[in-house]
Amino acid sequence: MILEMKVPSPGESIKEVEIATWLVKNGDYVEKDQAIAEVDSDKATLELPAEASGIITLKAEEGDAVAVGAVICLIDTSVTKPGVTESPKTESVKVAETKVPETKVVEAPKTDVIAETPKTSEKTYATGSPSPAARKILDEKNISPADIIGSGKSGRITTEDALNAIPSMGTPTGGNRSSERTKLSMLRRKVAERLVVAKNETAMLTTFNEVNMTPINTIRNQYKEEFKTKHGGLGLGYMSFFTKAVTRALQLFPDVNSMMDGDYKVAFDFADISIAVSGPKGLMVPVVRNAELLTFRGIEAEIKRLALRARDGQISVDDMTGGTFTITNGGVFGSMLSTPIINPPQSGILGMHNIIERPIAVNGKVEIHPMMYVALSYDHRIIDGRESVGFLVAVKEALENPLELLMSGNAKKTLEL
């Protein structure tokens, strides 16, 4: 029986997918539920499992855009799994044995041929001399053959060497000048499209501030080992502090937790926080649902779960759908300051950056503290300057006084220790 495997629908709005990678070859025997391909949609990369066991025949190439519901492969389910026999191994040994004396017989003639080759070369070409076609190109470029290192036999200058030669004063020649043209994945093309839309269709502005990270570092250094032991190896990172600070600020400034819908403003009484993470397929933005209701442990556990799914290519459309506000951390890559781009249709995004010890004034004295620049990009069509600046100041206040504003004065109880 021949089974036709069709492209399943990854989501309501997705009409086609792209074959990113075939994980099997044409004619391979596949097991039921074995991953046979990775397919890109405009929202995520998903694995496609085999619907039955049998011999597979591929009907699409890598890079092909295939409509949802189209046949991408056939599986012949009437074929049983090939067994492993010893006879092929025995035959291969016999063949190898019979070839040994043949190699000895032809070894001497090969030596003679190799010995004669350089003699012919020496008679025909001078070392570093160009071929007739290469000489013509060099003459047109007004380049001396002495200025080029040939890549051909005995240093002979080939046509390719001549084409790559650059006629300039003192410029080295003969370097690698190759290029590669590859098609962007469907996911990457969609991300690019959304970024352009965000730049062109929103009145995006960015406001900045700085945060003294000493209070957070003090709490983390005091409780991170106990937190890790208590919660099964879960780390107490910066993201839980920032997420809690953001959800608090969103309650104080609800316009930042809203979005445009034509002539209307849609406001939310919950905080679904999109967390930008880097995966093998590029930037992913999974969503931590109802982050305002989660504890520090709950936020850290959910971020870890989503990050692992993104890293392993298992992130789903549902994981990235929605979101009312985004947090992105360029600091993990060494970014000191940036202007993050809004994740449409959201109206705001908070950018974290790297932590650097800098001198600051504290109570009239100069002290050195770990400092981080933070940036809020926002849609000025719906968020005014007062709300944007007030929101970022509220985030700063919570991060610089986490014990009182995020932990109600009791760190151990808040961290569930």
Side-chain angles (χ1 to χ4, degrees):
M1 175 182 174
I2 303 297
L3 172 68
E4 292 184 338
M5 271 199 60
K6 299 179 180 180
V7 179
S9 175
E12 290 183 7
S13 61
I14 299 175
K15 303 300 181 185
E16 68 175 13
V17 299
E18 188 174 280
I19 306 298
T21 307
W22 280 110
L23 304 177
V24 296
K25 296 179 181 178
N26 197 44
D28 282 356
Y29 184 88
V30 298
E31 299 281 0
K32 187 178 185 300
D33 296 327
Q34 173 186 344
I36 60 173
E38 290 182 351
V39 295
D40 283 342
S41 71
D42 59 9
K43 294 184 178 179
T45 298
L46 307 172
E47 282 190 348
L48 193 65
E51 296 177 3
S53 301
I55 299 294
I56 192 168
T57 302
L58 309 184
K59 292 296 183 181
E61 301 289 336
E62 290 185 359
D64 285 355
V66 185
V68 171
V71 176
I72 59 168
C73 67
L74 305 175
I75 299 179
D76 186 354
T77 60
S78 63
V79 180
T80 57
K81 185 175 182 179
V84 179
T85 61
E86 295 297 327
S87 55
K89 293 183 180 178
T90 305
E91 290 176 5
S92 63
V93 172
K94 291 180 180 178
V95 173
E97 289 173 355
T98 55
K99 285 185 177 180
V100 172
E102 291 179 7
T103 305
K104 292 181 180 178
V105 172
V106 298
E107 188 174 347
K110 284 185 177 179
T111 305
D112 295 340
V113 173
I114 293 172
E116 291 177 4
T117 302
K119 294 180 181 178
T120 307
S121 249
E122 290 172 2
K123 292 179 181 179
T124 309
Y125 310 122
T127 300
S129 65
S131 67
R135 181 177 292 280
K136 182 178 180 181
I137 295 171
L138 293 177
D139 289 342
E140 291 174 352
K141 291 185 173 184
N142 196 25
I143 299 176
S144 171
D147 295 333
I148 299 176
I149 300 175
S151 61
K153 187 174 293 185
S154 299
R156 182 169 171 78
I157 298 172
T158 65
T159 302
E160 185 178 358
D161 296 332
L163 290 171
N164 291 334
I166 304 173
S168 58
M169 294 297 293
T171 301
T173 59
N176 185 7
R177 292 177 53 79
S178 62
S179 61
E180 184 180 2
R181 181 184 176 91
T182 56
K183 186 177 181 180
L184 295 176
S185 68
M186 182 177 290
L187 177 61
R188 193 66 192 179
R189 296 198 303 270
K190 188 63 177 180
V191 169
E193 177 185 322
R194 288 168 62 85
L195 293 177
V196 172
V197 167
K199 290 288 287 183
N200 293 340
E201 298 185 7
T202 64
M204 192 177 79
L205 292 178
T206 305
T207 185
F208 304 93
N209 215 315
E210 62 179 359
V211 176
N212 185 347
M213 300 295 289
T214 298
I216 290 179
N217 285 348
T218 300
I219 293 174
R220 290 183 69 242
N221 291 338
Q222 184 176 356
Y223 296 109
K224 64 181 180 181
E225 292 301 326
E226 188 177 354
F227 186 88
K228 186 175 182 179
T229 302
K230 176 75 173 181
H231 302 303
L234 201 62
L236 179 60
Y238 292 111
M239 286 304 301
S240 53
F241 286 92
F242 273 81
T243 302
K244 296 296 287 185
V246 162
T247 57
R248 172 182 176 271
L250 289 176
Q251 292 174 344
L252 297 174
F253 298 91
D255 279 352
V256 183
N257 197 38
S258 59
M259 59 185 63
M260 292 283 291
D261 184 13
D263 294 332
Y264 295 86
K265 178 180 77 172
V266 180
F268 303 96
D269 61 358
F270 56 89
D272 284 354
I273 306 300
S274 303
I275 305 292
V277 297
S278 181
K281 297 294 183 179
L283 183 69
M284 304 284 183
V285 194
V287 181
V288 177
R289 312 285 178 185
N290 285 107
E292 79 282 3
L293 302 179
L294 296 178
T295 62
F296 277 78
R297 180 185 63 82
I299 292 172
E300 292 291 352
E302 183 65 0
I303 290 175
K304 181 178 180 180
R305 182 186 74 85
L306 293 170
L308 289 175
R309 287 176 62 82
R311 184 198 66 185
D312 297 338
Q314 298 177 346
I315 205 78
S316 69
V317 175
D318 291 340
D319 290 328
M320 296 193 293
T321 301
T324 62
F325 186 88
T326 296
I327 302 175
T328 180
N329 185 6
V332 296
F333 304 111
S335 173
M336 183 176 182
L337 191 62
S338 67
T339 55
I341 298 179
I342 295 171
N343 180 21
Q346 297 173 17
S347 298
I349 178 171
L350 179 72
M352 301 166 56
H353 300 90
N354 61 354
I355 301 171
I356 297 178
E357 288 193 341
R358 291 192 282 110
I360 62 171
V362 179
N363 297 324
K365 297 181 180 180
V366 176
E367 297 181 5
I368 296 177
H369 286 270
M371 303 297 294
M372 176 194 287
Y373 288 119
V374 289
L376 172 71
S377 292
Y378 61 98
D379 189 348
H380 206 352
R381 297 177 303 167
I382 197 169
I383 302 171
D384 291 330
R386 173 185 172 276
E387 282 73 24
S388 62
V389 174
F391 173 88
L392 197 55
V393 169
V395 170
K396 171 184 170 68
E397 290 173 346
L399 294 173
E400 292 186 338
N401 191 9
L403 186 61
E404 296 300 324
L405 299 182
L406 301 180
M407 296 178 163
S408 302
N410 191 331
K412 289 183 69 71
K413 182 178 179 181
T414 303
L415 297 176
E416 304 173 65
L417 300 177

